[in-house]
Amino acid sequence: MKHARQGHTQKKRFWDVVFYLALIVFIGSLVSLGALVFSYWQGQQAYESVAHDAHVDLSAFDTPASLEEKKSEITIDWARLQAINPDIKAWIYIPGTKVNYPIVQGSDNDYYLTHDAQRTQGLLTHHGSIFQDYRNTPHFSDQVNFLYGHHMRDGSMFAAIAAMRMQANYETQRDVYIFTPEQLYHLRSFSLLFVDADDPLVQANFPDRAAFNAYITDKMNRNVVETPDMPEAGSISKLFALITCDNNIVHDGRCVLYCNVVEQVAVNAATSSGSVSSSFIDKKALNELDTQLNKTVTQR
């Protein structure tokens, strides 16, 4: 009888241990999930804050019109963006996705993998930034311009690029817009690639037209989606490559969306002093910023 009671007690202790271990694992899982959700929210909030502070208004893209017609309705306070971070060079927007971010360019391709456009790091995960390859010349003057962004599980950053493996997504999200203080670019994607991380994609310029055509043709031949209106290689003068990580098809792979320029509009020529035309800067925001700076100086 005594042995039976001891056996019962030992069995109860065993199941108590199992229960408490399971409870700890469950609570740990909830904490991890909560931390992950919070980190995604934190990362997105940081970029929404930048857009709000810089008075970014791209509502003109809710209605069909040419860039020339839309340009007067677009507002981006470039002075404010430069005050936030001098590395901010442009803004990218892809209708129908979460892609609506500043583009930065650093002195290497490592820093902005873990730092956002405000040059801060996420508390728990690193959203990083949408950044231009440091080997590209500024102002998108190269024949091929490379932009990188993380593949986030909540669909932010460049996750939409990898999701374009689905033909429906690709067909409805082919228009890409890039803005700089001087130029507006309307891009249209023509090729989606899944490649190894060490695929020799990065070449900004070419010695002649034949070499450039060969590069473009190679990317067209490796396209994994249907592009019925594929442009002629010889008609393309400038490319943008949007790159993100993807392991669904290739281990340690990259998903690359190639786009060509279908429309390019000058905002207004920069003045001799180097300032940008006021038609693309929110003057009210500048005045508010000046007032804040003056108050700070007075308080000191």
Side-chain angles (χ1 to χ4, degrees), residues 52 59 64 72 143 151 161-162 167 186 199 223 238 243 245 272:
H52 178 267
S59 58
S72 62
Q143 289 176 293
H151 182 176
I161 304 304
Q167 188 69 27
H186 175 193
D199 193 296
N223 182 26
K238 188 189 296 289
I243 304 172
C245 294
S272 57

Side-chain angles (χ1 to χ4, degrees), residues 55 75-77 276-290:
H55 302 272
T75 59
I76 299 177
D77 185 347
V276 181
S277 167
S278 60
S279 68
F280 206 54
I281 292 181
D282 190 328
K283 281 188 171 182
K284 181 180 178 182
L286 282 179
N287 291 334
E288 290 174 354
L289 182 60
D290 287 340

Side-chain angles (χ1 to χ4, degrees), residues 25-265:
V25 170
F26 176 71
I27 293 173
S29 298
L30 285 181
V31 171
S32 296
L33 179 61
L36 182 63
V37 171
F38 174 76
S39 70
Y40 285 142
W41 176 85
Q42 179 195 49
Q44 196 62 27
Q45 284 295 114
Y47 280 104
E48 289 179 6
S49 174
V50 171
H52 178 267
D53 290 348
H55 302 272
V56 177
D57 182 2
L58 305 178
S59 58
F61 291 91
D62 294 338
T63 56
S66 68
L67 272 183
E68 185 64 42
E69 295 170 313
K70 291 177 179 178
K71 73 175 185 180
S72 62
E73 302 175 37
I74 299 168
T75 59
I76 299 177
D77 185 347
W78 292 103
R80 179 58 182 155
L81 286 177
Q82 285 289 293
I84 292 171
N85 182 0
D87 286 344
I88 295 177
K89 307 299 183 184
W91 196 277
I92 184 169
Y93 173 60
I94 304 179
T97 75
K98 291 187 178 182
V99 180
N100 187 16
Y101 302 110
I103 299 173
V104 296
Q105 186 179 35
S107 58
D108 56 46
N109 284 345
D110 296 323
Y111 182 81
Y112 283 111
L113 283 171
T114 57
H115 292 75
D116 65 23
Q118 300 179 72
R119 293 188 288 195
T120 59
Q121 291 182 298
L123 178 62
L124 299 169
T125 61
H126 303 302
H127 281 66
S129 301
I130 304 301
F131 62 95
Q132 185 180 16
D133 195 297
Y134 77 99
R135 292 163 290 189
N136 274 134
T137 54
H139 312 297
F140 306 117
S141 57
D142 291 324
Q143 289 176 293
V144 190
N145 302 273
F146 298 91
L147 304 176
Y148 305 91
H150 282 306
H151 182 176
M152 303 302 293
R153 292 181 181 179
D154 65 343
S156 62
M157 305 313 287
F158 267 2
I161 304 304
M164 289 181 191
R165 68 165 60 86
M166 300 173 61
Q167 188 69 27
N169 288 350
Y170 176 74
E171 290 175 357
T172 58
Q173 299 166 5
R174 290 181 61 194
D175 293 302
V176 179
Y177 297 91
I178 292 181
F179 315 99
T180 75
E182 300 84 17
Q183 299 285 331
L184 310 182
Y185 295 94
H186 175 193
L187 317 177
R188 192 154 177 84
S189 60
F190 65 86
S191 185
L192 184 70
L193 279 65
F194 289 92
V195 301
D196 292 323
D198 58 357
D199 193 296
L201 294 173
V202 181
Q203 183 172 351
N205 293 291
F206 299 83
D208 52 46
R209 184 70 221 192
F212 188 33
N213 284 351
Y215 179 90
I216 298 171
T217 301
D218 173 67
K219 307 309 172 279
M220 290 177 172
N221 290 341
R222 292 198 275 166
N223 182 26
V224 299
V225 291
E226 294 181 17
T227 306
D229 58 348
M230 185 74 74
E232 294 290 334
S235 69
I236 298 174
S237 58
K238 188 189 296 289
L239 289 179
F240 286 77
L242 282 55
I243 304 172
T244 192
C245 294
D246 191 90
N247 296 320
N248 289 314
I249 295 180
V250 180
H251 177 68
D252 192 24
R254 302 291 183 268
C255 178
V256 188
L257 184 71
Y258 276 92
C259 309
N260 66 305
V261 180
V262 295
E263 188 180 7
Q264 179 176 340
V265 176

